[in-house]
Amino acid sequence: MKRFFKVVEKDSDGSAKKPRENDAVAEGGENKKKEPLKFMTWNANSFLLRVKNNWPDFTNLITTFDPDVIAIQEVRMPAAGAKGASKIQGEIKDDTSASREEKKILMRALSAPPFGNYNVWWSLADSKYAGTALLVKKCFKPKSVVFNLDKIASKHEPDGRVILAEFETLRLLNTYVPNNGWKEEANSFQRRRKWDKRILEFVTQNSDKPLIWCGDLNVSHEEIDVSHPEFFSTAKLNGYIPPNKEDCGQPGFTLSERKRFGTILRESCGKVIKSKKYMSCLPLYSFVIAPMKWGKLIDAYRFLNKDKDKDMERGFSWSGNPVGRYRGKRMRIDYFLVSEKLKERIVSCEMLGHGIELEGFYGSDHCPVTLELSPSSIPQNEDPV
């Protein structure tokens, strides 16, 4: 099954362009041995809309930062497949004139510089909902790319919420985590609890290689990670109060979510998990045993910014609409989490947006977040374990 497209460049006369010497290096020369060091994650809130309305500014950002890997969430492009038929979640829908035109617009943008230097993988929902994409520079060759926390290549996570790329020295997990919602319902609280249980199983069972987990994780871990803690902790939807007080508040800032997130960070080293305290955080969880090799997960941004930001305009990745009750209120829900052994290699981790008017958000309600690592001291042809 096709997982990415490769653009065939042409000369001005319409003939296929001959590869240049540096192109050959990028495709299969020495550069393929290098590990990616510069990463970007962004919830685009409809990738197609960003292409139509904000592409020049976003293109300038990519050209300037020059990331090796770009992780996108909320692509909102439907998967291929006729109505009533099984969907092909790795390909964009193009069986109607409208869908073909939308795909053409998106592909044209991703074929132009600098995006033509990347291979692209998609994991899409059946409709214009959720979905993720992963762009990796052609000089970096993933050993594998899968689309499910169970690491089954042919099976995509429902709604296209997962892309997992394995490189020689590390794994990169791009996720669009389900929103917790406001009520005790199957598609909100219960769905989020199951997700947190599964992601903990994943990180504990895959500790044999360093992990970089990025994306819209839909949780603000501590009070420092929101601009108005009291507002978010007491927020309600139409006066509804959940049965459990730990489920009260803004989705992404309920005490229940924050506790489970903290557990994932602490317990990701692969310890035996069997305590009553832990069981209360993740209902129905059975203990996991995994090799303890690469340690717990580190919040890269908080590792570099341990105190509350002096400038309240920065330090948050999501910002409410400039009009309405969420004006000026912000949350940090987009992350780079890295295995503890990578923490000393963190050069920078930055939120690229600020201000009530959403400067640097490029049309989304989320701003891009970047991570840069220093080169590894481990030779590229050696196993990191």
Side-chain angles (χ1 to χ4, degrees):
M1 184 180 294
K2 184 179 178 182
R3 296 298 177 194
F4 59 88
F5 69 89
K6 182 175 180 180
V7 178
V8 178
E9 296 182 341
K10 295 184 178 182
D11 285 315
S12 57
D13 63 358
S15 61
K17 182 182 290 186
K18 294 181 180 180
R20 296 168 297 185
E21 184 175 349
N22 59 339
D23 290 337
V25 172
E27 286 291 336
E30 291 301 316
N31 281 355
K32 73 176 183 178
K33 296 182 180 180
K34 296 179 180 179
E35 63 180 355
L37 298 175
K38 300 177 73 174
F39 307 85
M40 177 179 291
T41 183
W42 186 37
N43 179 322
N45 193 15
S46 178
F47 205 21
L48 181 63
L49 286 181
R50 304 293 75 82
V51 168
K52 289 180 176 180
N53 301 327
N54 312 96
W55 206 238
D57 289 338
F58 185 65
T59 297
N60 289 337
L61 172 63
I62 298 301
T63 301
T64 301
F65 181 65
D66 192 27
D68 300 323
V69 177
I70 306 170
I72 303 293
Q73 305 86 45
E74 255 194 295
V75 171
R76 292 193 189 176
M77 292 294 288
K83 185 176 182 180
S86 297
K87 303 301 180 182
I88 306 173
Q89 290 177 272
E91 297 181 17
I92 298 173
K93 179 181 176 67
D94 61 358
D95 62 345
T96 66
S97 57
S99 63
R100 282 192 292 272
E101 181 61 25
E102 291 180 344
K103 181 177 179 179
K104 180 180 178 181
I105 292 171
L106 187 57
M107 293 303 198
R108 183 186 298 122
L110 291 176
S111 298
F115 300 97
N117 296 325
Y118 296 81
N119 285 323
V120 184
W121 287 263
W122 306 96
S123 188
L124 307 172
D126 292 353
S127 61
K128 290 186 175 182
Y129 172 73
T132 51
L134 189 70
L135 289 74
V136 180
K137 274 189 176 177
K138 293 176 180 177
C139 58
F140 302 103
K141 302 292 185 181
K143 296 177 65 176
S144 67
V145 179
V146 297
F147 310 91
N148 193 286
L149 292 176
D150 299 327
K151 297 169 67 175
I152 301 174
S154 60
K155 182 180 179 182
H156 288 246
E157 188 74 19
D159 300 329
R161 293 183 179 274
V162 170
I163 301 181
L164 173 65
E166 180 172 352
F167 298 90
E168 287 292 338
T169 60
L170 57 84
R171 291 189 179 96
L172 187 285
L173 176 64
N174 172 25
T175 65
Y176 176 39
V177 175
N179 187 285
N180 187 66
W182 293 93
K183 296 184 177 182
E184 179 62 89
E185 297 174 334
N187 64 348
S188 53
F189 291 177
Q190 296 175 36
R191 178 180 68 166
R192 181 55 182 266
R193 291 183 192 122
K194 290 177 181 178
W195 169 276
D196 288 342
K197 172 181 177 290
R198 291 181 63 222
I199 198 69
L200 180 59
E201 290 173 344
F202 172 84
V203 295
T204 54
Q205 293 171 355
N206 291 274
S207 57
D208 59 313
K209 183 176 286 191
L211 174 68
I212 298 175
W213 175 18
C214 69
D216 178 357
L217 307 192
N218 255 319
V219 62
S220 294
H221 188 203
E222 305 287 356
E223 288 193 355
I224 190 176
D225 298 313
V226 297
S227 62
H228 297 73
E230 184 176 356
F231 171 86
F232 288 118
S233 62
T234 59
K236 299 177 184 177
L237 180 66
N238 299 326
Y240 174 80
I241 300 177
N244 185 340
K245 65 179 182 180
E246 292 193 348
D247 289 322
C248 294
Q250 173 75 30
F253 196 63
T254 64
L255 190 56
S256 179
E257 293 171 274
R258 294 162 57 195
K259 282 185 175 180
R260 293 197 302 267
F261 187 66
T263 300
I264 291 168
L265 296 183
R266 291 191 305 273
E267 304 292 354
S268 55
C269 52
K271 296 178 181 178
V272 176
I273 303 165
K274 206 175 180 179
S275 69
K276 290 183 179 179
K277 179 180 179 182
Y278 180 75
M279 294 288 283
S280 66
C281 292
L282 286 173
L284 306 179
Y285 187 79
S286 57
F287 68 85
V288 170
I289 302 176
M292 188 186 301
K293 294 182 179 180
W294 287 101
K296 64 184 180 181
L297 292 174
I298 301 298
D299 178 345
Y301 180 82
R302 192 56 64 207
F303 176 72
L304 298 177
N305 301 272
K306 293 182 172 58
D307 299 320
K308 195 169 183 68
D309 301 272
K310 294 180 179 179
D311 182 0
M312 282 293 290
E313 294 295 300
R314 297 183 180 273
F316 307 104
S317 63
W318 175 90
S319 184
N321 193 289
V323 178
R325 66 192 296 261
Y326 281 89
R327 174 178 170 82
K329 297 178 176 65
R330 307 176 182 87
M331 305 176 74
R332 188 169 71 93
I333 56 178
D334 302 83
Y335 291 79
F336 275 103
L337 305 178
V338 304
S339 297
E340 187 175 30
K341 290 296 181 70
L342 295 177
K343 70 179 183 181
E344 300 305 329
R345 293 177 54 195
I346 300 174
V347 174
S348 65
C349 184
E350 298 182 6
M351 309 286 157
L352 301 186
H354 66 279
I356 293 176
E357 302 304 324
L358 307 184
E359 296 180 41
F361 283 71
Y362 305 101
S364 177
D365 53 349
H366 296 249
C367 70
V369 182
T370 61
L371 171 72
E372 183 172 1
L373 301 178
S374 60
S376 171
S377 59
I378 300 175
Q380 295 294 306
N381 57 355
E382 290 187 10
D383 194 306
V385 179

